[in-house]
Amino acid sequence: MEIKPFTLHEKFAEAFQYKFALKTIYHYTTQETAQIFLTPDKAMLYCTWAKALNDDQEYKIGIEYALAHIAEEMHLDAETASEVKDFMKTIEQRRYRMPWVMSFSGVQDKLSQWIAYTDRKRGGYALGFSFKNLENLVGNIVRSKSQLYEGNSPYILHLLPCFYLDYASKEAMSEVQHFFHFLFVEYLQEFVNKELGISNTQEYAARIASFICLFAAVIKHESFKEEQEYRLVIQLVNDAYEKEVEIIGGKPRIRISKELHTDTVAKLITEVWSSPHGDREVLNSVARYLSIKYDLKVGLYSSNVPYNGR
């Protein structure tokens, strides 16, 4: 039986149903980037290189956790465990083979998000994306590319919630452990390996290393727990696609699908929140102008957070 595209997402959604009950998730960003999203002939979904994120050290934390537990969790022999570590070093050296992510928050008007992702003086916006529509869109993109874990697809795409390493919280660590077991045992070991088979130790180790990168892409430090973050994650599997890297806002980014119709992206957005800082009148006016000009079906809101950015 062939592994169907988007299988990981579907199996994950079954195991973690409570994580998919959100109606809207929010992308906090600057004025300039928000205007791109709200302009149908320019709108795009893009992911940022993990090493260029505001919280890039968290990727390292996720890697360290996985390497510390993977051998015991998957009952790996010494040779395979050593090969996994070697492949992780190779991925580090090849840089762009690390994950690329686009971040969303489950909270609509959060001070920490405004401070971290908008301009301190000019402010910005929180764009509310329909979770269900985004989920369906990602699934359609994946299926259209006939995405498999081995094949000619340029990248693997996922939509997943983040998990938080909070060693003082039994609930938080239970979630991390549940996800870790699901990803490496229930999905990789019991499903992917059985369907695709394993020809040698190197192939097995390379596959495990790829999943460690995915795990690390959605593991965050406890201090970020209030964000309730979700991420679109791209893993490149085709060297040629590295040529598609663009510098947007001073950071390396990759468009999720260059074939994606721009008006489709704009229609994913159902809410636009203006930041509490910056010129509120200008922010609100720009959002109103764009919604009228492009006939966007969005709710327009202004932050209730008492913060002026000074």
Side-chain angles (χ1 to χ4, degrees):
M1 183 185 80
E2 182 181 61
I3 294 182
K4 296 179 180 179
F6 219 39
T7 307
L8 170 60
H9 178 89
E10 292 165 349
K11 287 188 173 293
F12 178 89
E14 291 175 6
F16 295 83
Q17 292 183 22
Y18 67 96
K19 291 285 189 181
F20 287 79
L22 286 136
K23 179 181 179 181
T24 310
I25 52 178
Y26 299 86
H27 183 66
Y28 289 75
T29 190
T30 61
Q31 290 188 49
E32 292 77 12
T33 303
Q35 288 180 41
I36 292 174
F37 276 111
L38 295 170
T39 304
D41 62 347
K42 295 181 180 179
M44 60 180 175
L45 293 175
Y46 59 79
C47 287
T48 304
W49 186 41
K51 281 285 188 178
L53 296 174
N54 290 12
D55 44 6
D56 64 291
Q57 287 300 309
E58 292 186 351
Y59 178 70
K60 182 179 178 181
I61 292 172
I63 295 292
E64 290 174 347
Y65 179 94
L67 290 177
H69 295 85
I70 195 68
E72 181 179 357
E73 189 72 33
M74 298 188 72
H75 304 291
L76 303 180
D77 57 40
E79 180 185 0
T80 305
S82 178
E83 288 278 6
V84 169
K85 292 180 180 179
D86 288 342
F87 272 105
M88 293 305 301
K89 292 177 182 177
T90 300
I91 292 172
E92 175 77 23
Q93 292 167 356
R94 295 181 70 179
R95 300 196 314 157
Y96 286 163
R97 284 302 181 93
M98 294 178 184
W100 299 68
V101 305
M102 180 176 181
S103 298
F104 301 85
S105 172
V107 288
Q108 63 190 15
D109 188 14
K110 197 70 176 176
L111 177 58
S112 60
Q113 297 292 88
W114 290 123
I115 292 174
Y117 298 107
T118 63
D119 188 280
R120 289 292 183 93
K121 292 183 178 180
R122 301 180 61 234
Y125 298 94
L127 306 177
F129 284 71
S130 164
F131 185 87
K132 193 64 180 177
N133 290 347
L134 182 62
E135 185 181 15
N136 289 338
L137 178 64
V138 172
N140 290 337
I141 292 172
V142 171
R143 293 183 185 96
S144 70
K145 290 183 174 298
S146 300
Q147 174 182 303
L148 299 175
Y149 280 98
E150 273 87 18
N152 297 318
S153 178
Y155 58 72
I156 299 170
L157 179 63
H158 307 281
L159 173 61
L160 294 168
C162 288
F163 295 86
Y164 299 87
L165 281 176
D166 182 357
Y167 290 98
S169 169
K170 289 183 178 179
E171 181 181 358
M173 292 311 298
S174 177
E175 277 198 334
V176 171
Q177 291 157 8
H178 183 192
F179 176 55
F180 192 76
H181 180 80
F182 163 82
L183 190 62
F184 291 99
V185 178
E186 296 178 27
Y187 187 72
L188 176 56
Q189 217 166 32
E190 297 180 3
F191 181 71
V192 174
N193 290 344
K194 287 182 180 179
E195 302 303 331
L196 294 180
I198 303 169
S199 59
N200 55 60
T201 300
Q202 280 196 330
E203 179 186 347
Y204 187 30
R207 198 175 293 169
I208 293 171
S210 175
F211 274 76
I212 288 176
C213 291
L214 174 59
F215 174 81
V218 294
I219 294 298
K220 293 179 67 72
H221 187 268
E222 62 180 276
S223 57
F224 295 95
K225 199 182 330 186
E226 66 176 15
E227 296 177 354
Q228 300 175 35
E229 189 171 342
Y230 286 73
R231 284 180 167 179
L232 285 173
V233 182
I234 279 180
Q235 292 178 280
L236 299 186
V237 294
N238 187 324
D239 289 337
Y241 208 72
E242 293 181 8
K243 296 178 182 179
E244 304 297 332
V245 174
E246 303 175 60
I247 304 301
I248 303 173
K251 295 184 177 182
R253 308 184 198 266
I254 285 183
R255 297 191 190 195
I256 288 178
S257 177
K258 296 192 73 173
E259 301 83 14
L260 185 64
H261 293 296
T262 52
D263 62 339
T264 302
V265 176
K267 289 176 182 176
L268 292 172
I269 300 170
T270 58
E271 299 177 16
V272 178
W273 286 75
S274 299
S275 67
H277 53 302
D279 189 324
R280 287 198 181 208
E281 186 175 347
V282 170
L283 290 169
N284 291 334
S285 296
V286 169
R288 191 178 306 111
Y289 165 76
L290 291 172
S291 69
I292 293 172
K293 181 177 181 179
Y294 298 116
D295 193 27
L296 302 175
K297 308 303 181 185
V298 297
L300 301 178
Y301 306 93
S302 187
S303 172
N304 296 310
V305 175
Y307 172 73
N308 60 25
R310 292 196 295 270

